[in-house]
Amino acid sequence: MISSYYCNYLFTFDLKYLPHILHHVHCTDEYFTDGSDDCGNGRERFNICQTLWEKIKMDTEVLQEELNTKILDSLLDFIKRCTSSFQSRTDDWTSHMRASEIPTAALVLGVNVPDHDVTFQSLSELLRKSVTPFAVSVQAKECAGRLLIVIMKLMGVGVTLEDDEEDTGIHLPHKKVSCSVSALSQWYKSMMKTGGSENGFSQSPPIIVIFKDFEAFNPRVLQDFILICNRYIQELPFIFIFGIATSPSTIQHMLPHSVSSLLCIELFQSLPCTQHLATVIDKLILTSQFPFKLSSKVLQVLVSIFLYHDFSVRNFVKGLQLALLEHFHSQPLSVLCCGKNEALLYAQKLSHQDVEMVRQLPSFMRYVENREPQEQVHLLTSDEGVREVCQRFLKDLRKYHKNYYPVLKCLHSLTSSLPKYPLGKQIRELHISCMEKNVWETNEYESAMQLLRLLAKDELVLSLRKCADILKPDKTKKMKSALQQLENYIAKFEQLDKEVTSPGKDLQKKTDLFQLQKTLLEMKGTRRTKKISPFELLRNEALEFIDGLVRSYLTPPELQPLNEVCYYSSSGVLRRHLNATPRTSIQTALSHPFYYLQNESLKTDAGTVSNSAPDICIAYKLHLECGRLINLFDWLEAYATVTSAAEGKDPDSEDFGKVDELKHARFIQAVSELEFLGFVKSTKQKTDHVARLTWGGC
Amino acid sequence: MLAGLQCPGYPEAKLSSVSERLPCREGQAGTLLALMGEPEQYCFPSIFIYGHRATGKSHVILTLLKELEVPHAAVSCVECVSAGLLFEQVLLAMFGSESATLLPRSPSLSDFVRIYRQFCAQEPAQQTRYIVLERAELLRDMEANLLPGLLRLQELVDDNVTVILLSEIVWDKFRPNTGCFEPLLLHFPDYTKAELLQILSLDSNPSYSPELYSSYINILLGVFYSVCRDLRELRHLAALNFPKFCEPLEKGEAKESDTHKLWRNIEPHLKRAMQTVYLREVSSVQWEQQQMEEKEATALRGLSAHAHVELPYYSKFLLIAAYLASYNPARTDRRFFLKHHGKIKKTNFLKKHEKTSNHLLGPKPFPLDRLLAIFYSVVDSRVAPTASVFSQISSLVTLQLLTQVGHDDQLDSPKYKCAVSLDFISAISRTVSFDIVRYLYDFL
């Protein structure tokens, strides 16, 4: 039945930290210049890449802040409210009667854990700046046993805050700073006495503890901590913030009623990450601002990693960064992928080698093929001619982008309200299908247009207005004229309103029976011929116009000459890097050592392993031929035979295939390596046997 | 009633003030006083007091000790993450800060005893000293010799000292199996309804008459007594809902004597409170705000209303696969995930114990291999076994949607359990249009 039981457990470790590693790969320009090409513009490409990345990074950060403002503001409000209620704690009847609860904010952030860091960072910065110096954030892995770390961090904060006062001595003997909340309470009091009012914060700033990953905490530790804090709530104004990834009901799962009744929990919900991604795509990809573009396949890889695997916007941006880096590294002509003036300048200075490369671009070749023979010769022989054409192409490419995105957005706003979303709900889906082929030739486009033709007037006018709003900020001539036309249509639609004249009005005037009969017959006749009403006429006209826009501006980028300069299209590379398949790589390494080692002697036909391959490869190959249980001695014998052959011994000689100590040791090592990789494990079912853990894949 | 507390050696006035402060606990206080005897007399070495939450254990003991000005140290064990902290706090309260600094790093019981004896020799006890340990059940998790040592502390330090342990758990759950000194057991029973009424009526609002308040408490207890007998919680609820109760009075719609009208006003409100604020679905502050704003139609959504979790596509399928692996017997996998499985009759096929509903028995652990095998067969497209699929499994573990079972050794086939409910998984599978019920053995 289940044919492929995998030995995958090797890889169940967290790969969440991959972006960290990516981040630390310090890219220098040497990496670019030492690449496969010898062109001199490696340094330039590196610089362009750097500046572009800086810009993208800055934009995403700004975006993140904008998206976070709402939730952070409401959180800050809550904390300020709690703080003031701490300070204005009066001795009236209610406050005396009420059980003292710890104010708690349950911050629901969604399962995209890697993205939370940014939010928490800006949150704690905000808190330190405007509310209290005593804000600490803890992670579950920092406090496996007890939440002592909170106290240590808090006191640590205090020491850095009041560096100069340290020698005068806040009386805590260094030998044993006892980490208990009572010590904290004393420390807090002394802090308030010495410098409470100086540092610009309110009289008794609250102590804010942020639990970054609430789910990962040990429930008992958390319960104890809450119980302790609650005992001191009169002296220490605690406020908790729980960072929750799943749903707020986990609080109830983790804390029993006796503990959760000590908390006063308020809920804060952040934006869903899909919306976040939509904004990021809108700002980084669907814009003509950046010369660097992703092809449809690459974008699909990045989006599918997001949707299928991690929901992490941060990883998406990291993927974009990797694409950027790969593009500038692997494509020598990417030097032209920059601002307009610089690109033109570079195009003028293209060296002979570069020009040759331009000639080999598929898009350029396609262009040349469609020219007159004379021009073809000119383009293929004269470098200067290519340089000039290049400049023109670059300009065209820019224009193409400037028109493409507004029209794309228009089409999306028109079709996104249609039932069943024939062209996709999200604009990225439309973008991808537009990049893949001529969108107007698809069935989906056809059906969308048909649905649009059925729209009622007010709906149509509304969506046309939206389109006009989208086109407004654009400054290119073509878009301006398109806007003009669109507004004309809208005006015409509105005029129709006023000229509504129903034939019924005439009907009422006729009192003569004969006349009435006659007109009724006439009307019947007209209905049969199905006379198109002026509205329908206008609607068709308007839709024709939209269709025309789509046909002229939403052509796939591949048809644009020189698109390879801007478009990064090796989706395979990206997928290999971002969505690694460790199991496949290990198997490749074991069964085709040549693939990684690139040693000529290892080159073999498919399915066989050269006998001079590394020991582990031979052992692996031999173990594939066995059943579920492998007899170690047989395995060793087989191994010895193969290695003897590798040593070039005569197959007929006496000690051929004999096991000496060296071979024995090498074999043992190979087997234990296989065990480490999870291919075999020792078993107690049979002596001198190991169990095989993988099936198939011979 | 007032005659209840009598003990030679303590001034009468103090005793009567103590008995005033301990309503409905005269009997227990009397027993304790009898145990304590006269100040300079030796007391029983260790006393174990147990009773439910908020039955006045700490209150009675601490009031007695404080009012009668007896030397004592009160420590809550929940604060003492190590025995060292416990010793430090006891010494601090008994002999001042000087003694506590003498303790070495991570002190043992014998260090404590040594220092105690040293200071005890300097200032021998004029009166019995008391050490009160709240939430004593946590002592069981500390060093094995701590609890037996504390029970015999009188002998060990050779001083007039008594250790009082307070706990919500009965002594039977404490008793170390090596045998130890048996403390004197004392039970604090739950307050009865009448007692609760009497105690709660004591803190009446100064701006209204005590009769009104006690009638309010009566209504409150009528609603809440069946679910909550925790005095502290009841006080909290009383304070939260009292403004609503007084509303008709403030507006002049009713007089204090219109008990029926007041009852009609408050009763539905209290019932709603039981479902929301008592369970902490809605926080107390939000509840009060809601009361003030009078927006009852737009009731706040409680915490558990937000149960929906958005997961990546493959995580959803991993979770579904985990659920199937947890609730289906492994032998039935063939039937669900293989095309030509042949007919398997439910009755003959399974062993006897497998015939009971798996959902009643709870999730069973399953190895990673089985999870992945099911995953690959339920997910509709071909999925490469990439690293991110595996990292999603561990992400699900950190999100507590799966739990890892048994040893921490990751290399030797880890086992998991699915920790989500049927409702949750049905909601998840609906979003990926997967009919989970068709794949569950229990629903065949």
Side-chain angles (χ1 to χ4, degrees), chain A residues 68 71-73 75-76 79 107 109 116-130 135 208 210 241:
Chain A
N68 278 336
I71 188 165
L72 288 186
D73 282 352
L75 204 57
L76 201 64
I79 284 165
L107 190 60
L109 291 167
H116 296 178
D117 273 353
V118 190
T119 317
F120 281 121
Q121 209 178 340
S122 44
L123 174 64
S124 47
E125 266 167 30
L126 192 69
L127 290 178
R128 291 226 177 91
K129 215 163 54 194
S130 57
I208 300 176
I210 304 173
I241 297 175

Side-chain angles (χ1 to χ4, degrees), chain A residues 87-101:
Chain A
Q87 283 156 1
S88 66
R89 201 185 278 146
T90 46
D91 232 14
D92 68 337
W93 180 78
T94 350
S95 64
H96 170 69
M97 282 283 292
R98 271 183 53 173
S100 44
E101 293 171 317

